Amino acid sequence: MTNMKNALETITVQTQFIPDQSDPEDLRFIFSYTITITNNTDKAFQVLSRYWLITDANGETTTVEGEGIVGEKPHIIPGTSYTYTSGCLLKTPLGTMQGYYQIIDDQQKTSIIDIPVFQLALPNIIH
């Protein structure tokens, strides 16, 4: 589990390799990631969009961007959290993700929540 905290919100990430959906011989490694966004501010905000940069161990990158997260635009009030799970396909057993969420607060001010790099890795691949 990785905790990433700045002054306004906390992002917690848990990743998991999904062996029954993966096929290493076909260079297909499926990972899930569960993210919790906690609002530590005194203002509610809504997640408008997300951007991901996904990098495999060969240095190949993929970007994913779009409205909301997992089909929703969650409204997160002060002192509460929003958790969701999604997935990622890599061609290697090791990779990284990083990105950001664009949010808007109740005063219609938009800002960015950065999501620092976190790792996707088969269990026990890193010593």
Side-chain angles (χ1 to χ4, degrees):
M1 179 166 50
T2 304
N3 284 315
M4 299 161 213
K5 186 173 183 174
N6 62 39
L8 303 177
E9 51 282 312
T10 303
I11 305 293
T12 303
V13 180
Q14 294 179 301
T15 63
Q16 183 177 350
F17 173 63
I18 311 296
D20 60 327
Q21 294 179 21
S22 298
D23 184 357
E25 290 181 9
D26 196 28
L27 301 179
R28 180 180 166 86
F29 299 88
I30 305 293
F31 295 89
S32 71
Y33 55 92
T34 299
I35 296 185
T36 299
I37 306 165
T38 302
N39 182 347
N40 299 318
T41 73
D42 59 358
K43 297 177 184 168
F45 62 80
Q46 183 177 23
V47 179
L48 297 177
S49 63
R50 88 277 187 203
Y51 169 84
W52 290 111
L53 174 63
I54 305 163
T55 307
D56 70 17
N58 295 327
E60 289 187 35
T61 61
T62 303
T63 58
V64 176
E65 53 190 315
E67 287 191 21
I69 44 182
V70 293
E72 299 181 6
K73 290 184 179 179
H75 193 256
I76 307 170
I77 62 173
T80 66
S81 299
Y82 175 80
T83 300
Y84 73 96
T85 300
S86 192
C88 175
L89 166 67
L90 293 178
K91 294 180 182 177
T92 61
L94 179 65
T96 62
M97 288 181 69
Q98 64 190 42
Y100 61 83
Y101 300 117
Q102 181 184 36
I103 63 170
I104 189 167
D105 68 20
D106 290 340
Q107 284 71 46
Q108 302 304 302
K109 179 184 173 201
T110 59
S111 58
I112 298 293
I113 301 174
D114 285 315
I115 306 164
V117 176
F118 62 90
Q119 214 162 49
L120 304 165
L122 262 64
N124 304 316
I125 197 167
I126 301 172
H127 302 291

